[in-house]
Amino acid sequence: MLKQHIFADTHRVIVEGVALRFFLRTHDAWVPVTDTDFQRAYELALFDPDALRKDVLCPNARRVECDTYEGWYWSDGCRSAGLCTFDDRSPGECPGMAQLTAGDVS
């Protein structure tokens, strides 16, 4: 029988033996955040940030997502970006994502 485990409000989560770590881009650095903060930022990135400031919901056409064996990266194409690393990696241990994680892709 499959058991479902829910981990909330932790920076490091283990899912089926794989350690996931969550980071958000703050200024010029990756800052560890909880899984729930990461999820909230990701969900906000689904909507156009300029329109959100005007209280209008519309899809974000500038949003970018990329994944490799090292992790999963997303950006709202403007100010916000997140990185979920696999196998307990830090952002600096993801050379395959170095170009994306070096700064904003916009």
Side-chain angles (χ1 to χ4, degrees):
M1 176 183 280
L2 179 65
K3 291 183 180 180
Q4 188 172 27
H5 297 283
I6 298 173
F7 300 91
D9 291 329
T10 57
H11 164 63
R12 182 177 180 265
V13 174
I14 298 178
V15 178
E16 295 185 19
V18 177
L20 307 177
R21 292 172 62 191
F22 303 94
F23 302 88
L24 291 178
R25 189 89 165 144
T26 302
H27 305 290
D28 288 331
W30 288 103
V31 177
V33 296
T34 65
D35 58 335
T36 51
D37 289 339
F38 181 87
Q39 179 179 353
R40 183 177 187 280
Y42 172 75
E43 289 172 355
L44 284 175
L46 295 173
F47 302 100
D48 185 280
D50 297 329
L52 276 179
R53 284 191 280 282
K54 298 174 187 170
D55 293 327
V56 176
L57 287 179
C58 62
N60 183 359
R62 297 175 294 201
R63 189 172 59 88
V64 174
E65 288 189 40
C66 176
D67 64 278
T68 68
Y69 67 92
E70 302 165 332
W72 171 53
Y73 169 86
W74 61 262
S75 171
D76 71 355
C78 186
R79 296 183 184 131
S80 183
L83 178 65
C84 172
T85 64
F86 307 149
D87 293 329
D88 217 9
R89 289 183 169 100
S90 70
E93 296 173 310
C94 298
M97 301 187 103
Q99 185 176 16
L100 289 172
T101 60
D104 193 9
V105 296
S106 60

